[in-house]
Each structure stands twice: as structure tokens, then as C-alpha cells.
Amino acid sequence: MVRIFFFLFLWCTQCIAQNYSFIPKEFTEIKDKDFFKIASSDTLKLVKVYLEKFFVNESKKQFYIVYKELSEIERKQQAIEQKVEITNNRKKYKLQEGTVLKELNFKDNNGNSFTLDSLKGKVIVLNFWFTTCRPCVEEIPDLNRIQEKFKEKEVVFLAVTFDSKKKLEEFVKKKPFNFTLVPDSMKIIRQFYVNSYPTTILIDKDRKIHLIDDLLVFDLMNKIEKMIKNYL
């Protein structure tokens, strides 16, 4: 698909979009779930402080992304709505707290392949993030501290992202991230119905899923650490 991003997209960290008169009439607005089906992974720059509007021209396979800056009240409301949506999706597809994970396949940034069987007997910590997500980057030092504390234990720490291998390699040169990096992973992101970043999920040794609520839990790192200890 051809990707067209005009100045508004390039300035998305600064702009406030109030009307969309600049969108050509042949473009129609679509829902985010439909956009995710057609967008390539490097266009998915979801951050909590912006509301995305998507417009597509089906005939030319082009789209616009408009970012509207949210107020503090709108951000809190969005967080609540996202929590409800995520919960409903996971219930619908039976990806709930305590359910057993049936499949997990991925390659890390070094090309090593992993499956559920290869990780048998280990606690798996999945951190969903991306390199330009400020809250994700801000929690990396704390995540590194937890990884260091449990590095001799039967725990695998995975940093799952839609970012490319090259982008991750450039990022960690400036900001070390001691998790196993898993690039180009929209399949896993969709598998766990992640649409808020950062998100952390724990898989225990019996392959049961434990959801760590990053939207409403304030003492998140202590909760992650406590859960790892509980399931070792």
C-alpha cells in the first residue's frame, strides 16, 4: 500500500486537529480496527496523548492519519474505554485471566526462533512497546532492573514490538533494553489484543495468562516483580 503522510502527520507531536477540510473528498473515515488491517507496522505510532482519525481512499490504496491532542479528561476517559474494549475482546476470544495459552511462535532480533515448547518450564514476561512511545521508553530502566534481579531464574523477558529489527538496533545503541527484543511482531500483538502501550502480560509455567493492567495500576513495577515471584 502507498503511504501518504502530509505535514499534519509529520507534526503530529505538536498539532491539534479540529477539522478535516484538507482531506480530499474521495477519502472516507474508517475505524481504527479496519486501519490496522491495511497499515504496515512502521505506521502504527499509537500514543496515549493523541486520538487518531483514519481516512482511506480505497481506489488508490492511500490513507491519511490525523492526530488530535487530547485533554487530561479525554485521556482518562480513553484509558477507561480502552480497558473495557480490551477486556471485551479478550473475553470474546477466550484470552482471559487464567486461560491457557495454546501457541506462541516468534523470532528475536538475532534470528533465534522460540516456541511455547522451547520455553517450557519458564515464566514468560511479555512487554508490548515501541521505540517512539514515551511511556514505554520511560519504564525501560525499571524493567531492566527487574530483568537483572531475575536473570538467574527461570524467567524469560520479551520486548515485543511492531518496530523493525533495524530500528531496534539503532534504539538500543542509545537506550539499552535488556529484554529479548522481538521485532516485526504484529502477529503477537494481535494475538493478545494489545491496543494500548506499554502493556505487560505474564505467562506462568503452566502456560496460564496473567494480565497486568497498565492503565489503572500505579505501582506497576512492584506488581510485575511480585507476580514473577509468585509463579516461579
Side-chain angles (χ1 to χ4, degrees), residues 12-30:
C12 67
T13 58
Q14 304 176 29
C15 72
I16 302 176
Q18 299 296 348
N19 63 72
Y20 315 117
S21 59
F22 56 86
I23 301 291
K25 62 181 180 180
E26 60 267 25
F27 284 77
T28 56
E29 185 174 356
I30 58 176

Side-chain angles (χ1 to χ4, degrees), residues 16-17 19 28 34 39 55 92 98 104 156 173 177 184-185 189:
I16 302 176
N19 63 72
T28 56
D34 297 317
F55 298 84
K92 180 179 179 180
L104 185 65
V156 176
K173 289 178 183 178
F177 196 175
D184 301 310
S185 296
I189 292 169

